[in-house]
């Protein structure tokens, strides 16, 4: 934990190219922690026989999760595929469902895959230098479709909370896969 005073102003030290911070807490997600989220679990298990790649990591500054504050940090999602499906984050709903979030792409390229509890979906391209808005009530997962790390800055209401379980049960309705060397949005066969 850091010793920031959350009731006064301070500067942060993110390296805007790499997303790394000297003071933030880091959380790492390796393939072994999320292999069942890929459609081709057998392909994930094949990779895990020889290595357990780091899929993504995120840095947060330990802001108190209270109303009126903002949580913020960076996510670094590494390039790679599992059975043709691009590396992705777990993704989540916010516990307080009606809480939006802003992501700004610092480097790399990809997609933000979103869906609400009714099953309406949105797949929005992430491009360096562009912000995207994740609306209230939408689960969100980022996907790296490029060849270098996808680095994103995010911020949202500090008391929103994370609900990973609901979307984890059956996965998202849409998948981003490599087709003829390019990203394609397809229906997740698990939902048919
Ligand atoms: Mn979120």
């Amino acid at each position: 934990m850091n010793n920031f005073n959350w009731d006064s102003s301070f500067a942060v030290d993110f390296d805007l190219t790499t997303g790394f911070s000297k003071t933030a807490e880091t959380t790492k997600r390796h393939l072994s922690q999320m292999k069942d989220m890929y459609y081709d679990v057998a392909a994930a298990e094949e990779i895990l026989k020889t290595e357990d790649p780091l899929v993504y990591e995120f840095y947060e500054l330990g802001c108190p999760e209270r109303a009126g504050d903002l949580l913020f940090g960076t996510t670094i999602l590494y390039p790679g595929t599992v059975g043709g499906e691009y590396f992705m984050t777990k993704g989540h709903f916010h516990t307080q469902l009606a809480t939006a979030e802003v992501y700004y792409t610092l480097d790399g390229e990809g997609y933000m895959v979103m869906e609400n509890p009714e099953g309406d979906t949105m797949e929005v391209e992430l491009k360096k230098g562009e912000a995207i808005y994740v609306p209230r009530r939408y689960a969100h997962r980022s996907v790296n479709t490029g060849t270098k790390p996808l680095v994103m800055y995010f911020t949202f209401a500090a008391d929103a909370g994370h609900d990973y379980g609901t979307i984890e049960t059956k996965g998202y309705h849409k998948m981003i896969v490599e087709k003829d060397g390019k990203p394609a949005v397809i229906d997740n066969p698990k939902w048919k």
Side-chain angles (χ1 to χ4, degrees):
M1 255 326 145
N2 55 68
N3 297 311
F4 287 132
N5 177 354
W6 290 99
D7 292 313
S8 60
S9 176
F10 61 88
V12 292
D13 65 350
F14 286 129
D15 179 323
L16 293 182
T17 308
T18 63
F20 290 106
S21 166
K22 287 193 281 289
T23 50
E25 302 271 306
T26 178
T27 305
K28 294 177 192 293
R29 302 269 194 236
H30 289 264
L31 181 60
S32 59
Q33 295 166 274
M34 52 184 302
K35 70 177 172 73
D36 296 323
M37 292 185 169
Y38 291 92
Y39 180 70
D40 191 345
V41 177
E45 285 169 348
E46 194 58 36
I47 294 168
L48 288 168
K49 281 181 185 171
T50 53
E51 56 171 338
D52 186 8
L54 178 61
V55 177
Y56 68 101
E57 55 190 313
F58 55 92
Y59 290 77
E60 286 184 325
L61 282 135
C63 177
E65 298 187 0
R66 63 187 182 190
D69 271 315
L70 292 168
L71 282 186
F72 66 101
T74 51
T75 299
I76 304 160
L77 173 55
Y78 293 97
T81 55
V82 177
E85 193 175 2
Y86 291 103
F87 273 14
M88 60 198 183
T89 61
K90 285 186 171 187
H92 56 265
F93 283 103
H94 292 144
T95 309
Q96 293 202 32
L97 190 59
T99 309
E101 182 161 357
V102 167
Y103 278 82
Y104 181 83
T105 302
L106 295 165
D107 204 13
E109 59 190 277
Y111 275 87
M112 188 65 74
V113 177
M114 296 171 272
E115 70 177 67
N116 66 14
E118 291 74 41
D120 302 318
T121 80
M122 288 188 290
E123 299 78 36
V124 176
E125 274 189 76
L126 300 171
K127 295 176 183 171
K128 181 177 179 172
E130 289 187 5
I132 75 145
Y133 191 76
V134 177
R136 308 182 327 156
R137 305 186 75 255
Y138 276 78
H140 38 289
R141 149 181 288 170
S142 39
V143 179
N144 185 347
T145 58
T147 55
K148 59 180 183 175
L150 172 63
V151 183
M152 295 161 292
Y153 170 87
F154 59 85
T155 187
F156 62 103
D159 61 342
H162 289 94
D163 167 14
Y164 289 99
T166 300
I167 197 77
E168 195 170 335
T169 310
K170 203 170 176 184
Y172 289 70
H173 281 75
K174 299 289 184 184
M175 297 165 52
I176 313 293
V177 299
E178 188 176 46
K179 231 176 190 169
D180 304 322
K182 286 189 303 195
V185 180
I186 65 166
D187 291 327
N188 183 348
K190 286 181 186 169
W191 281 97
K192 282 189 179 139

